[in-house]
Amino acid sequence: MQLHHRHDWKLTPTEAIALQHQLRTEVVSDRPIDLDGVQLVAGVDVSVKNEQSQAAIVVVTFPGFLPVETVLAQRPTPFPYVPGLLSFREGPVLEEAFEKLKSEPDVFLFDGMGIAHPRRIGIASHMGLWLQRPTIGCGKTLLCGRYRDLAEEKGSAAPLIDRKETIGVALRTRTAKNPMFISPGHLADIPTAAELVLRCSPKYRLPEPIRLAHNAAGQFSP
DNA sequence: GCGACAG
DNA sequence: ATCTTGTCGC
């Protein structure tokens, strides 16, 4: 895949935050995804083991979720985990994986936040600027913001709000299970992002593309 | 100053 | 994220 907006990774935390403030102005989070036109969806995830990060991108058909391409990439883990700066820890290895990708997914699902981030530029938004394709953030736990209690039934949702701003949605992808926190990455909006994630979660709490990517990323070569 | 804190 | 067996429940 062609990548744009690439930048140096050798940044101090302070510089990384400054870059986020600069890049956030480029993020488009109010554009509906053309759901009827989605044919390929990619799941993206990174696993860490012994100081090594392995990224996995699994592209599946939609609907159907049949894998059509899987790419892996490995690199030494460069940055310790710092809340709010996840993209700087996983970005380098993801960049390598994206370059190997031959197919062109209509949407990318990330394990982590989109604009539901203190500076509105979580990993899904940041990587979206590179990919220049719709991206969606799918977090398993909250980074920031609050939401009202939501019904137990699958499909129930509640707006995720931070500083009076709606930044995403708490979405129940499985009845009686903890909700997922969905937010637009880039070139997407909240309603269509939530709808696509729901359609990508036919059986488990995690969207199918992300589950597959998670499994692939956790498979380290001996 | 005191908490909160994706993966 | 990762360390890890069995176990409760549909």
Side-chain angles (χ1 to χ4, degrees):
Chain A
M1 274 218 81
Q2 284 303 303
L3 266 33
H4 303 277
H5 276 273
R6 283 190 286 183
H7 54 72
D8 204 315
W9 285 119
K10 294 176 171 45
L11 304 176
T12 63
T14 300
E15 296 173 325
I17 290 173
L19 178 58
Q20 290 183 320
H21 280 299
Q22 177 189 321
L23 295 177
R24 67 179 295 182
T25 65
E26 312 289 326
V27 177
V28 173
S29 57
D30 60 358
R31 179 180 302 182
I33 293 172
D34 172 24
L35 297 175
D36 296 320
V38 177
Q39 299 192 325
L40 293 178
V41 178
V44 182
D45 190 33
V46 174
S47 182
V48 178
K49 191 171 186 178
N50 300 322
E51 306 286 272
Q52 283 289 310
S53 288
Q54 173 157 266
I57 301 176
V58 178
V59 181
V60 303
T61 57
F62 178 85
F65 314 112
L66 301 177
V68 297
E69 182 180 7
T70 296
V71 297
L72 296 174
Q74 290 144 299
R75 303 205 86 189
T77 305
F79 210 87
Y81 169 68
V82 178
L85 298 180
L86 181 65
S87 60
F88 292 87
R89 172 179 164 86
E90 305 190 338
V93 71
L94 284 178
E95 174 175 11
E96 201 171 299
F98 288 140
E99 288 173 341
K100 293 183 179 179
L101 202 62
K102 298 175 69 177
S103 53
E104 301 190 333
D106 297 297
V107 186
F108 287 80
L109 267 39
F110 287 78
D111 196 335
M113 305 304 186
I115 63 170
H117 175 283
R119 291 171 291 284
R120 308 293 183 260
I121 179 157
I123 192 166
S125 301
H126 194 154
M127 298 298 101
L129 292 178
W130 283 4
L131 299 165
Q132 286 298 306
R133 247 190 214 329
T135 60
I136 297 173
C138 308
K140 298 182 290 296
T141 60
L142 213 48
L143 172 60
C144 70
R146 299 183 57 196
Y147 63 100
R148 299 288 188 158
D149 291 330
L150 56 166
E152 293 293 285
E153 294 69 41
K154 171 178 181 175
S156 299
L160 182 57
I161 298 173
D162 183 46
R163 287 179 287 163
K164 302 294 185 183
E165 186 180 352
T166 299
I167 58 176
V169 59
L171 175 68
R172 201 86 82 179
T173 51
R174 283 286 273 159
T175 295
K177 304 295 273 185
N178 292 147
M180 289 290 294
F181 301 98
I182 312 304
S183 58
H186 181 48
L187 303 178
D189 69 1
I190 297 174
T192 56
E195 181 58 35
L196 183 65
V197 168
L198 198 54
R199 293 190 194 179
C200 282
S201 312
K203 190 173 166 63
Y204 303 98
R205 183 170 85 116
L206 294 191
E208 207 57 27
I210 290 183
R211 288 186 67 250
L212 297 172
H214 191 315
N215 292 163
Q219 216 71 35
F220 280 79
S221 300

